[in-house]
Amino acid sequence: MRFDILTLFPEIFTGYLGQSLLRRAIDKGLVEVYLHNIRDWSPDKKHKKVDDRPYGGGPGMVLRVDCVVPCVEAVQSMVPEPGHLVMLTPQGRRLTQAVVRQLAQQSRLLLLCGRYEGFDERVRLLLRPDEISIGDYVLNGGEVAAMVVIDAVIRLVPGVVGDPEGPQWDSFSEKMPGLEFAQYTRPREYRGLGVPEVLLSGDHGKIAQWRKENSLQRTRQRRADLLGESAPPTPPPQNPPLH
Ligand code: ADE
């Protein structure tokens, strides 16, 4: 799968691109990531300006259409296969695991990251991107959101996650429509807290039943909305004092 990231700040991605799961996927040839600096397509050859004040006044700066559109078109035509264009914006449809599954069907994604007060509206009108938001809060730019998209999508690219069964059991997936059940590993006891006996029993039928019930109970407690039930807002839990 190929990702083309269009951004004013390509250096934000360097640490992330070197991180283990993605790095291994790139090294194995399963994933390709290319960074493109939108500034390189500025019509202002001298100062490389990419933004300007909004018509009508108001705070902040707006990304120029005559910079963004040529950049997207040039990146699209770098390889014969056209990419699915995603614009990262708080105004987009919400990223959910279902949307991640849709995006993972594509073999090439272009991720267009905004900054400042947003894009000139004509970028949307001309390019008709798939606008995606990672949540109802405003980031300083689309870069972190693009990393979230890549991180979630590559888990579904065959071969990227070591155990091919793994992602099928992630929360929100087909086999796990709610939240994932509680997990335990060694030590068997820690600060007086043990492990549920059933998980030590070796009885796979009983373990599967416990996990199903645990998953349902957690989902009902934490995210009743996922079960189509209404849930009262929960106050943030108090952290216990440190040892
Ligand atoms: N850019 C700024 N805020 C964003 C958000 N919540 N999701 C995606 N892109 C964004």
Side-chain angles (χ1 to χ4, degrees):
M1 176 157 196
R2 175 181 169 123
F3 295 92
D4 289 277
I5 305 169
L6 289 63
T7 169
L8 289 167
F9 298 96
E11 60 279 11
I12 291 179
F13 292 87
T14 46
Y16 173 60
L17 291 176
Q19 110 10 76
S20 64
L21 191 91
L22 178 56
R23 185 72 258 161
R24 257 185 287 132
I26 294 171
D27 292 344
K28 283 201 246 171
L30 299 169
V31 171
E32 292 173 281
V33 183
Y34 296 92
L35 288 162
H36 311 278
N37 193 333
I38 299 172
R39 203 173 293 283
D40 294 342
W41 279 271
S42 169
D44 169 11
K45 295 296 165 221
K46 195 160 167 219
H47 301 103
K48 300 251 176 188
K49 246 177 87 76
V50 289
D51 57 339
D52 217 328
R53 291 188 307 276
Y55 279 124
M61 300 291 267
V62 177
L63 284 174
R64 290 175 59 118
V65 61
D66 55 355
C67 197
V68 176
V69 169
C71 172
V72 171
E73 287 173 346
V75 171
Q76 278 287 24
S77 59
M78 282 176 183
V79 287
E81 183 192 7
H84 178 73
L85 177 65
V86 169
M87 175 192 275
L88 286 316
T89 161
Q91 300 192 8
R93 60 188 180 126
R94 182 83 67 83
L95 187 70
T96 60
Q97 193 64 28
V99 172
V100 170
R101 281 194 289 274
Q102 287 173 2
L103 297 177
Q105 299 294 312
Q106 305 286 337
S107 53
R108 184 180 179 213
L109 287 181
L110 267 65
L111 302 173
L112 178 57
C113 308
R115 281 264 146 180
Y116 314 111
E117 294 308 307
F119 296 94
D120 184 305
E121 185 61 16
R122 291 165 293 184
V123 173
R124 293 186 166 89
L125 297 173
L126 290 167
L127 301 176
R128 299 255 164 238
D130 181 1
E131 298 181 43
I132 301 247
S133 164
I134 63 164
D136 291 343
Y137 39 80
V138 180
L139 304 167
N140 289 318
E143 287 76 12
V144 171
M147 285 187 243
V148 169
V149 169
I150 296 173
D151 218 76
V153 167
I154 61 165
R155 287 181 63 73
L156 304 185
V157 173
V160 169
V161 173
D163 178 355
E165 290 269 299
Q168 292 182 40
W169 291 99
D170 285 347
S171 296
F172 320 114
S173 60
E174 290 106 307
K175 292 210 171 135
M176 189 61 61
L179 302 181
E180 200 186 341
F181 46 79
Q183 297 273 28
Y184 294 84
T185 186
R186 286 184 286 185
R188 214 170 139 158
E189 196 183 301
Y190 187 69
R191 294 191 180 174
L193 294 177
V195 174
E197 276 303 318
V198 59
L199 299 179
L200 310 168
S201 69
D203 182 334
H204 296 298
K206 278 203 189 130
I207 294 173
Q209 184 59 29
W210 181 88
R211 286 181 163 166
K212 208 169 144 187
E213 284 164 14
N214 185 265
S215 160
L216 189 62
Q217 184 194 1
R218 286 163 87 85
T219 309
R220 184 158 289 133
Q221 273 170 358
R222 297 167 185 224
R223 292 292 308 276
D225 57 301
L226 294 174
L227 303 170
E229 299 168 8
S230 65
T234 45
Q238 282 288 313
N239 297 149
L242 289 176
H243 282 268

